[in-house]
Amino acid sequence: NLFGINTKKDEPKEIEPEDEEPKSFLQVHGSTMLKVVLPSFISGGIATLGVLFLPLISDYYAAFDPTEPNFYNKDNPSKVSTDQNNLNNVNQPVILFETILNDLNNAYVDDVDIQKLFETGVKAMTASLDPYTEFESRTEAMELEESVSGKYGGVGLVIRGGMNLGDDEDDTPIVNNIEKIETGGSQTSSPVSPPVEGSSPPVAVNGGGSDKSITPKISSDDESDEVDIDDIERKRARQKSMEDGIRVVSAFEGYAYDAGMRVGDKLLAIDDWAITPTTSVDEVRNHLRGDPGTEVSIKFVRDGVGDGREPQTITIKRSIVRIPDVKYFGFYGDPKDRIGYIDLSGFANDAGREVRFAIRALQHGAEMIAREEENGPQGEGGELFNLADADPTKLKGLILDLRSNPGGLLTSAVDVSTLFVPNGSDIVSAKGRGFPESLYRSKTEPTLSSQTNFAVLVNDQTASAAEIVSGAVQDLDVGVVVGKGRTFGKGLVQNVQDLPYQTALKYTVAKYYTPSGRCIQSTEYKEGGRGDDAASSLSDGTRSYKSRKVADKDRSIFYTAHGRVVKDGGGVEVDYKAEPQKASPLEVILLNTGAYADFAAEWSKTHELTDNFKVDETTYQDFQRFIQKRQDSGDMKLEVLYDLPLRDLQKKLKASKFDSSSRELDKLRADIIKDVKQDFTKYKKEIIEDLEQTILSRYLPDSMVIARGLKNDVQVAETAKLLKNDKEYNRLLARDKNGVAIEKSEVDTTSSASTSTPSQGLQTLQTQW
């Protein structure tokens, strides 16, 4: 019927047989193949594993066979493994190292920390190569990654604190710390005052080791008094540090500063976690850090608020804290001169973007100033326009301050250089034994106009990526390099390799070359270690590599784009010499002992900051009395710069029973203190400037403190003076007034740098340079 239903109930329905589906090949023969293939697969796997591990197993057996050649058999050179057998050259030391660790772990008289032993051994190994090759533990690897990225999750505070009295390492310094570890472990110029000559120079590159000697000290009766004095002084310093607690050194603008934290604040608690005198800086840092978006409450006391003991609490929302490489930019001197200034302190990921923004903002400001000069003041309703649309030629000069810049990333150095050099220019090249030769070239038009006089300000702590920029600017004759002498001279490339267990290896892979083809590496390093002057290699505990400064006679000559003579092997030499401000011994002592900061804390307890703040005569007299009180109590020594040689001489005189000479030495010490105190009068102006900057840093953001400090920076003043002198500027770059290169025969090569008269007033983001 229509629906296909069988209406005949009694007749059975005939069912036709269905066709059988054909079986697949695997269904028919699978079991047979499995019986054949599986044993073959297993046999092949065993054979493969045997090929891979048999050499290692054989090495284990050979390691205990005295007749077998090995890498350590230096008594019999014929039995030393050859360089052709690279597998054995790696396996044998690994076997020996593992055996030593196992033996120490199993049978040493006391319990041992295997991780600490391993890190000690590996760090000693890497330290035998050069000061830049380092094994990074998990914590160090995280800090290195933060320094590379220039950001971390936290609130934006720099903190400092001391050690416990029970610390075993007597020579461990009181340290500063930060939620984010600063780039390269380096110390940069403080915003408190302009760089001065004579102070202890900041370390440009972290050598990865301690400066402590491991030579045992042999005590004698004649030395016992001196040892007691050392111990008393160390304990006094530690006790003072513990009483001082965890203090804020800097509060970043846009983060903790905006939330209300200030320099000098003493932290008491993080959320419900109390800070005690024995709390370490690392513990506080770890509590301040956290996931972005979470909140943290900080309890603290501030000098000058109430009685200085009233706790305050601020709740801050954690965020991704971005540490700017450009600390400040603005116009120097009279804005009508249209001389821009950029303070670049590092080369993290965003350095190029930050410098580009600063240049465009200065170009925009320069055009606005030029318009006012032409048309009169525009008032609040003046025309606004996009930064990118500004006329770049209105900026007459630009100073890029790279003093004490320790470097950073390859990509950032290239990014910054492209802002100044012509499109298509070579910026830097690199090559090494296992590193592919690479050339980095500008592919964009420069942001800075060729009509803008440009200067790079450097010092002897300008290093690494900062030298790439300086070298490119000099070699391509797009600007002049200004400073006292030479830059640091680091022409080596380090790569950061991720390792298991969230660790990392930072190691030197290549040398870099400026556009003229020169390598500015100032020191040659050679592998040290066992049998290579072992006594000297262990004198500082870690630095077992050999080093040699490149001699002037070994430096080769190269030529810039305009034919000027430059040399390799000693950093970047300046084109124009500008002497830094000279620091007196007293200024050095006050800076290094923290006397300025300590007095600023005392001053803030009884004073309030007013408009147009100045250190008057009364405040200066109070400061001198404050220093004298610390000298009398033994908290500081005005003769500290000469204390060590005086004490060494005192020991020898005492051992020789030269009592009369010992008394004369005591008189000499008193005379030194008297002479140092005279600097309070001789260098009164400079000391007052430092004191004002330190007091203001407790109230103002870093950018304002830096801007104020520029007024007293003699090197910046001399650089600006040069940029305003077109004739001298063009002469230094060997070009005419139209910017055209002068023939080589006309270039004066008798002197590598002019001298000023001091004024009265790599391929991945993980590559480090």
Side-chain angles (χ1 to χ4, degrees), residues 439-472:
L439 173 64
Y440 296 88
R441 180 174 291 158
S442 173
K443 296 181 180 180
T444 60
E445 293 298 325
T447 302
L448 188 71
S449 170
S450 59
Q451 298 182 42
T452 300
N453 292 350
F454 178 48
V456 178
L457 187 55
V458 301
N459 62 8
D460 59 358
Q461 297 302 307
T462 301
S464 198
E467 291 176 293
I468 292 177
V469 176
S470 304

Side-chain angles (χ1 to χ4, degrees), residues 164-180:
N164 303 338
L165 283 172
D167 286 350
D168 293 329
E169 299 187 41
D170 291 338
D171 298 326
T172 304
I174 297 174
V175 297
N176 288 354
N177 213 323
I178 185 174
E179 293 175 286
K180 160 244 173 224

